[in-house]
Amino acid sequence: GAGVSQSPSNKVTEKGKDVELRCDPISGHTALYWYRQSLGQGLEFLIYFQGNSAPDKSGLPSDRFSAERTGGSVSTLTIQRTQQEDSAVYLCASSPGITGGARFFGPGTRLTVL
Amino acid sequence: DQQVKQNSPSLSVQEGRISILNCDYTNSMFDYFLWYKKYPAEGPTFLISISSIKDKNEDGRFTVFLNKSAKHLSLHIVPSQPGDSAVYFCAASAEYGNKLVFGAGTILRVKS
């Protein structure tokens, strides 16, 4: 399919381990967004990219979180020394333009930190 | 501090009738608003958006109304269909759609 894909779909890890979450946006989309949804909550903004640049990283919860995007395509969200409060569904979205919001979401990665 | 609030956790509507989902916001800098629906175990699906220069936007069965003075927006679905049963999120942005702030969602159930 031509939609946004994310991997893995599920990840269970132990507290203190590092995890990498991957997002493959729709080809040609300039903007890429990361959000997360904790149980029973709305979506929380983490970071967005315009091309390979992240104009605003203020949504990242702590310095344990980092993200990069390469080649204007694939993005990786890395969480170091995971904590139980990091457990959530991590959602990636892409959009063709740099305005107008997140238009196409992937299915998400469910992260569980034991 | 919840900047975007969806005060109704759930709504039940008969098939064929109108569904009205409401959303309130507190940040007067918000200039762009979106509605999404979400099925379990899937990512949100974009439905419709509106910028602050408009007070209404329509797309098929979906209409969004914006009342800036009241800091209130609503999504109307007419006619409602059983397939519309999902969680609906409103979202707002002060940066042309980037850095969306989401409400907690409203569960819509359309009964046939």
Side-chain angles (χ1 to χ4, degrees):
Chain A
V4 177
S5 60
Q6 293 185 245
S7 60
S9 54
N10 279 286
K11 176 71 176 179
V12 180
T13 189
E14 293 180 348
K15 177 182 172 182
K17 301 281 183 138
D18 298 352
V19 295
E20 280 191 356
L21 311 180
R22 177 187 170 107
C23 172
D24 286 85
I26 293 172
S27 178
H29 278 194
T30 302
L32 185 147
Y33 308 85
W34 283 98
Y35 288 84
R36 73 175 178 181
Q37 184 177 22
S38 302
L39 190 63
Q41 304 296 314
L43 279 72
E44 173 190 8
F45 168 79
L46 297 177
I47 190 170
Y48 77 96
F49 291 88
Q50 293 177 1
N52 292 333
S53 300
D56 189 337
K57 301 182 180 180
S58 64
L60 295 176
S62 75
D63 58 8
R64 296 186 295 105
F65 287 71
S66 62
E68 66 174 10
R69 188 180 186 194
T70 56
S73 181
V74 173
S75 178
T76 302
L77 177 69
T78 301
I79 309 173
Q80 296 179 311
R81 305 180 303 281
T82 52
Q83 304 293 313
Q84 288 185 332
E85 61 263 28
D86 299 335
S87 296
V89 176
Y90 288 80
L91 291 153
C92 174
S94 70
S95 296
I98 60 173
T99 61
R103 292 301 173 108
F104 301 92
F105 276 87
T109 293
R110 180 175 296 278
L111 175 65
T112 302
V113 182
L114 301 177
Chain B
D1 175 28
Q2 274 189 293
Q3 297 187 68
V4 178
K5 296 181 183 178
Q6 294 178 255
N7 291 318
S8 298
S10 65
L11 174 67
S12 186
V13 172
Q14 197 68 33
E15 180 181 7
R17 305 296 290 270
I18 184 171
S19 295
I20 300 176
L21 297 128
N22 293 303
C23 182
D24 297 294
Y25 62 96
T26 57
N27 189 341
S28 59
M29 297 301 291
F30 287 150
D31 58 10
Y32 197 75
F33 306 86
L34 301 88
W35 283 94
Y36 297 85
K37 74 175 181 181
K38 187 179 183 301
Y39 297 120
E42 294 184 11
T45 299
F46 168 77
L47 290 174
I48 193 168
S49 63
I50 188 168
S51 74
S52 58
I53 63 173
K54 293 186 172 183
D55 54 19
K56 177 183 175 181
N57 190 25
E58 194 171 351
D59 185 359
R61 296 187 298 116
F62 301 94
T63 302
V64 56
F65 295 91
L66 175 63
N67 182 333
K68 290 185 289 294
S69 61
K71 294 191 177 66
H72 177 83
L73 65 156
S74 60
L75 175 68
H76 293 208
I77 307 173
V78 184
S80 301
Q81 300 172 353
D84 295 330
S85 297
V87 180
Y88 287 77
F89 292 97
C90 68
S93 171
E95 299 184 22
Y96 313 107
N98 296 313
K99 289 187 68 174
L100 291 173
V101 178
F102 281 80
T106 296
I107 301 170
L108 174 65
R109 187 178 297 109
V110 180
K111 298 177 291 186
S112 56

